[in-house]
């Protein structure tokens, strides 16, 4: 992790050197695979939710003014109302199918959950409208500008935090591999950038981060891409990391790893000590992850650095002693989580279509006479089945 020393001017009241620690490294323990496999997935989800709440709290407090908040009782509560409404909407959309699959054995809970899922969008909409009306009713003279700026700031936070963190949760349900692996790449890239920058860095990379160098950036890119190929092979060997979760039960511990995590063997030239090399197909996809984590993801950290400089703040919060807040630790992880989700949906998960769509496509390809002939054959087959002739 790199230190940034920003010396204040001698004319300022405090002429002491401030030490800033800027990094894209993952939150401690966020990828720590301790304990039994059963506890890891649930622990990661609960950690993700706690971290998200702390991040939102840090951002809510960033531009808040205490003396004006005292004149607006309940205004802080309004911000949290929007937060929990957004959380209900996002997690309801992601976990809807898993909740239904979990409670299918109980008729009462199945109807209750199915009803909540069916009307979830309506419930969230009216909760938001209630908050909107609440905001309008709390407007006060001479404070309009502050209130509307806080209103816009709250919505920006919700968009940035939830639109990105929701992809993290979705990745976990595709398999813990798709959560742990991208996080490890970000941590690896940060450590490698510090190492190469410390020993070989000479050419500045970007003005937002004076200690970042081209040598560290290029060295970290090469190290991250190589590490991605290796990490994918190691993590892909743990079956419980690769299993998808279709419900909230513990059945995800055992599953068919799928073709991505089954080794393929490639023959090697005769002058090699080994006759063949085994490679998991997911390792080829891992190269794309490593490329993104080393070239694009660091710009999430640059964005956070520019944002803090724009508002003249050292860190987003003080949740982690010596590091800043949780938001400071997650700037690069959020960018990586969105890429991981889009890549998984586009190149990993096979495209499937409901039976209704397939039948509709078949009927559209037939002429009217062919459709009539097909209908007669279906009626004949149903009648024969009804009378037991087939």
């Amino acid at each position: 992790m790199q230190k940034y020393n920003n010396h204040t001017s001698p004319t300022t009241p405090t002429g002491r050197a401030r030490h800033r620690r800027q990094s894209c490294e993952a939150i401690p323990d966020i990828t720590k695979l301790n304990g039994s496999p059963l506890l890891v997935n649930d622990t990661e989800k609960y950690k993700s939710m706690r971290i998200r709440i702390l991040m939102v709290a840090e951002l809510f407090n960033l531009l808040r003014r205490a003396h004006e908040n005292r004149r607006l009782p309940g205004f802080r509560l309004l911000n949290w109302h929007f937060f929990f409404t957004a959380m209900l909407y996002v997690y309801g959309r992601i976990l809807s199918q898993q909740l239904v699959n979990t409670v299918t054995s109980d008729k009462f809970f199945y109807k209750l959950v199915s009803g909540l899922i069916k009307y979830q969008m309506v419930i969230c909409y009216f909760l938001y409208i209630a908050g909107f009306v609440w905001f309008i009713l709390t407007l006060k003279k001479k404070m309009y500008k502050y209130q509307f700026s806080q209103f816009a700031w709250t919505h920006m936070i919700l968009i940035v935090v939830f639109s990105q963190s929701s992809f993290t949760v979705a990745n976990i349900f595709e398999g813990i591999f798709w959560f742990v692996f991208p996080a490890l790449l970000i941590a690896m890239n940060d450590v490698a950038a510090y190492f190469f920058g410390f020993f070989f860095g000479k050419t500045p990379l970007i003005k937002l981060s004076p200690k970042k160098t081209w040598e560290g950036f290029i060295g970290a890119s090469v190290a991250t891409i190589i590490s991605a190929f290796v990490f994918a092979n190691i993590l892909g060997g743990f079956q419980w990391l690769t299993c998808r979760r279709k419900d909230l039960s513990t059945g995800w511990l055992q599953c068919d790893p799928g073709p991505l995590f089954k080794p393929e063997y490639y023959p090697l030239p005769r002058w090699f000590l080994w006759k063949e090399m085994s490679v998991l197909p997911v390792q080829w996809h891992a190269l794309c992850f490593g490329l993104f984590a080393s070239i694009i993801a660091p710009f999430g950290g640059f964005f956070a650095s520019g944002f803090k400089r724009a508002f003249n703040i050292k860190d987003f919060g003080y949740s982690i002693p010596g590091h800043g807040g949780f938001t400071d630790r997650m700037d690069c992880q959020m960018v990586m989580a969105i890429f991981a989700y889009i890549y998984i949906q586009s190149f990993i998960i096979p495209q499937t279509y409901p039976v209704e769509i397939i039948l509709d496509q078949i009927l559209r390809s037939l002429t009217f006479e062919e459709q009539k002939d097909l209908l007669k054959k279906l009626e004949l087959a149903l009648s024969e089945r009804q009378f037991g002739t087939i």
Side-chain angles (χ1 to χ4, degrees):
M1 305 247 274
Q2 302 182 25
K3 292 184 179 180
Y4 296 86
N5 299 331
N6 297 332
H7 296 275
T8 56
S9 173
T11 56
T12 56
T14 58
R16 296 170 307 193
R18 296 185 302 169
H19 299 279
R20 172 176 300 181
R21 302 178 68 91
Q22 177 64 27
S23 168
C24 302
E25 184 180 347
I27 295 177
D29 293 332
I30 198 70
T31 59
K32 188 176 181 181
L33 304 179
N34 58 349
S36 64
L38 174 61
L39 297 177
V40 171
N41 196 30
D42 296 330
T43 302
E44 297 297 345
K45 289 187 296 181
Y46 297 142
K47 278 185 178 180
S48 179
M49 185 175 294
R50 292 199 303 269
I51 291 170
R52 194 163 298 111
I53 292 175
L54 287 170
M55 288 172 61
V56 172
E58 290 172 357
L59 293 173
F60 276 166
N61 292 328
L62 189 59
L63 299 182
R64 194 177 299 279
R65 302 173 189 170
H67 67 283
E68 297 195 5
N69 282 338
R70 285 193 291 269
R71 298 173 56 189
L72 297 169
F75 194 72
R76 185 182 181 87
L77 183 62
L78 176 62
N79 290 339
W80 287 107
H81 171 82
F82 284 122
F83 167 75
F84 284 109
T85 300
M87 188 169 66
L88 179 63
Y89 176 77
V90 169
Y91 283 100
R93 302 286 289 182
I94 295 174
L95 302 179
S96 58
Q97 190 58 50
Q98 285 78 8
L99 287 171
V100 170
N101 294 339
T102 303
V103 300
T104 50
S105 58
D106 191 292
K107 186 176 181 180
F108 171 76
F109 284 107
Y110 177 79
K111 289 184 176 180
L112 177 63
V113 172
S114 299
L116 289 175
I117 292 173
K118 181 180 180 181
Y119 300 108
Q120 182 241 1
M121 188 177 294
V122 175
I123 295 171
C124 293
Y125 174 75
F126 280 103
L127 283 174
Y128 178 83
I129 290 298
F132 179 76
V133 173
W134 182 0
F135 168 74
I136 298 299
L137 294 177
T138 57
L139 289 174
K140 289 187 176 182
K141 289 184 177 181
K142 298 182 180 181
M143 299 192 67
Y144 294 151
K145 184 176 181 180
Y146 174 75
Q147 288 181 279
F148 274 100
S149 65
Q150 289 294 309
F151 184 80
W153 179 244
T154 299
H155 282 69
M156 191 278 287
I157 293 170
L158 297 181
I159 292 173
V160 171
V161 174
F162 277 104
S163 64
Q164 299 185 65
S165 60
S166 60
F167 295 114
T168 303
V169 178
N171 292 340
I172 291 175
F173 278 92
E174 294 298 333
I176 309 177
F177 174 92
W178 300 110
F179 169 73
V180 175
F181 176 65
L184 282 177
L185 293 186
I186 294 296
M188 179 63 195
N189 182 259
D190 183 72
V191 173
Y194 175 77
F195 176 83
F196 284 98
F198 182 82
F199 287 101
F200 308 104
K202 294 180 180 180
T203 311
L205 174 64
I206 188 171
K207 292 182 179 179
L208 287 173
S209 298
K211 295 294 183 180
K212 297 284 186 180
T213 62
W214 275 105
E215 290 80 6
F217 184 80
I218 296 173
S221 299
V222 175
T224 303
I225 293 172
I226 296 174
S227 300
F229 194 80
V230 176
F231 288 162
N233 182 272
I234 296 173
L235 296 177
F238 295 91
Q239 187 183 101
W240 58 273
L241 281 175
T242 64
C243 294
R244 296 181 63 189
R245 293 204 66 174
K246 298 180 180 179
D247 53 37
L248 301 180
S249 66
T250 59
W252 59 275
L253 290 173
Q254 301 292 332
C255 69
D256 180 9
L260 279 179
F261 299 98
K262 293 179 179 178
E264 296 179 349
Y265 297 92
Y266 297 89
L268 296 175
R270 293 182 179 179
W271 45 272
F272 268 87
L273 296 177
W274 301 275
K275 294 182 179 180
E276 59 183 15
M277 179 180 65
S278 65
V279 176
L280 300 179
V282 73
Q283 289 180 258
W284 305 120
H285 294 284
L287 296 177
C288 297
F289 279 77
L291 193 64
F292 185 90
S294 59
I295 296 179
I296 305 299
F299 282 85
F302 299 153
F303 175 84
S305 297
F307 188 91
K308 288 185 285 189
R309 290 177 184 274
F311 290 95
N312 196 28
I313 57 174
K314 181 178 182 293
D315 293 306
F316 285 112
Y318 303 96
S319 307
I320 309 176
H323 291 257
F326 279 98
T327 308
D328 298 271
R329 302 298 97 214
M330 294 295 290
D331 43 16
C332 300
Q333 294 286 2
M334 290 302 183
V335 178
M336 191 68 189
I338 296 178
F339 170 78
Y341 177 82
I342 294 174
Y343 191 94
I344 292 168
Q345 298 299 321
S346 302
F347 303 106
I348 302 297
I349 299 178
Q351 187 69 38
T352 57
Y353 298 96
V355 177
E356 295 82 0
I357 294 179
I358 297 175
L359 291 175
D360 182 65
Q361 292 294 327
I362 294 173
L363 291 175
R364 287 176 181 272
S365 63
L366 300 176
T367 63
F368 180 72
E369 294 298 329
E370 289 174 334
Q371 291 182 20
K372 287 177 62 178
D373 184 56
L374 178 61
L375 181 60
K376 289 180 181 180
K377 290 181 180 180
L378 289 173
E379 290 177 348
L380 179 62
L382 289 173
S383 63
E384 290 176 351
R385 183 175 182 179
Q386 182 178 2
F387 291 104
T389 57
I390 59 173

